[in-house]
Amino acid sequence: MTASQAPTVRVLDDAAAAVPLLLAELHRVVGAGTRPVVSFATGGTYSGFLRALGRQLQSGELPATAFVATHLDEYEGFAPERRGGMVHELCSLCPPFAAMLARDAFVPVPNAGDAAQLVAHEQRLQRAGGVALQFLGIGRNGHIAFNEPGTAFELGCHTTELAATTREDARARFAPDEPPRRAITSGIATILAARRLVLCAFGANKAAAVRAMLHGPIAPTCPASALRRHGDVFILLDRAAAAELERSAPGSA
Ligand code: PGA
């Protein structure tokens, strides 16, 4: 499969400059569709956006009834109310998500389950119309969601072992406890099925992964390189994350 269009890359002065652009992405898809499914990402990259979204949902500037929310991944055994988990993080940063969860307008990634339950989760999203807009971060090892290097691009939602760097990066989040070893994650195939992908990467520790994503081989050694097989990808970087890109990169701004 070859993407008809290379990812569009925009380099911003800083991470804060991404927030209005991410809100605009969300407003655009909500304005265009009938209650579209929007899949959110977690991690420090998205905390400013999620707080701003919470304010808009609380004020009614964006109606919480206008979209169905879901997200990329969850640590194994982390029920929604458990600190450190992804649903807990999303509801802490964006409190209106808790009410959406209670009325089934927020579809959580299962925190356990056999393959059939994970397939059922994906089918539920498909029945809701499929993911119209997928927000993504990237790990310093090139992972997207918890698709660690070596993961086959063909996988859908699955249970996985976390890479050593991923666990290290999550250590502060779980201290004084050890970070989890396993998670349930959307697969690369799940992510590529979304109609529009918006990936953010900020900070110098993402620069090598960003370069591999855009200029390295399209291969499981860099899971994010799979995005180049999708025809509608928007990538927002700060200057530090963009530092290793070639000036002539296709689609660069
Ligand atoms: P971060 O995580 O936003 O905390 O950097 C991103 C990721 O690992 O996908």
Side-chain angles (χ1 to χ4, degrees):
M1 184 167 48
T2 312
S4 52
Q5 193 168 333
T8 300
V9 180
R10 187 147 165 203
V11 182
L12 307 170
D13 285 340
D14 55 31
V19 172
L21 299 174
L22 296 170
L23 288 168
E25 286 285 333
L26 183 53
H27 279 261
R28 193 175 311 124
V29 75
V30 163
T34 312
R35 223 167 156 245
V37 180
V38 179
S39 179
F40 293 89
T42 45
T45 303
Y46 279 94
S47 55
F49 167 61
L50 290 168
R51 285 197 187 92
L53 173 59
R55 289 191 290 274
Q56 289 206 350
L57 292 171
Q58 258 150 2
S59 72
E61 191 174 340
L62 184 69
T65 50
F67 65 96
V68 173
T70 188
H71 61 116
L72 282 168
D73 45 26
E74 185 57 275
Y75 294 105
E76 191 174 73
F78 279 68
E81 60 284 355
R82 186 164 168 195
R83 184 187 72 88
M86 301 305 196
V87 175
H88 183 271
E89 176 183 336
L90 286 162
C91 293
S92 301
L93 291 168
C94 180
F97 277 163
M100 291 175 72
L101 191 62
R103 60 179 172 79
D104 279 345
F106 177 152
V107 181
V109 173
N111 61 73
D114 56 22
Q117 280 175 279
L118 303 186
V119 168
H121 169 70
E122 296 213 87
Q123 287 173 342
R124 187 174 169 196
L125 296 177
Q126 283 307 317
R127 279 198 305 277
V131 174
L133 175 62
Q134 175 68 68
F135 293 107
L136 293 162
I138 183 171
R140 63 185 158 109
N141 66 354
H143 76 199
I144 45 172
F146 282 133
N147 294 280
E148 304 288 19
T151 306
F153 288 173
E154 293 73 23
L155 283 184
C157 190
H158 63 282
T159 303
T160 188
E161 296 276 332
L162 300 178
T165 55
T166 301
R167 294 188 70 231
E168 269 325 297
D169 290 347
R171 188 163 288 283
R173 179 187 183 102
F174 293 98
D177 299 328
E178 280 293 298
R181 294 186 177 279
R182 291 169 64 80
I184 290 85
T185 186
S186 301
I188 302 280
T190 323
I191 291 167
L192 294 185
R195 294 192 280 287
R196 180 163 168 83
L197 307 179
V198 176
L199 181 142
C200 290
F202 308 129
N205 70 338
K206 302 289 175 74
V210 166
R211 182 187 164 83
M213 167 174 69
L214 291 171
H215 299 299
I218 299 180
T221 44
C222 178
S225 66
L227 301 194
R228 281 152 56 207
R229 293 194 174 164
H230 192 287
D232 190 358
V233 184
F234 186 33
I235 295 177
L236 294 170
L237 308 173
D238 66 3
R239 291 186 195 288
E244 293 188 26
L245 295 182
E246 293 143 18
R247 286 200 174 279
S248 59
S252 292

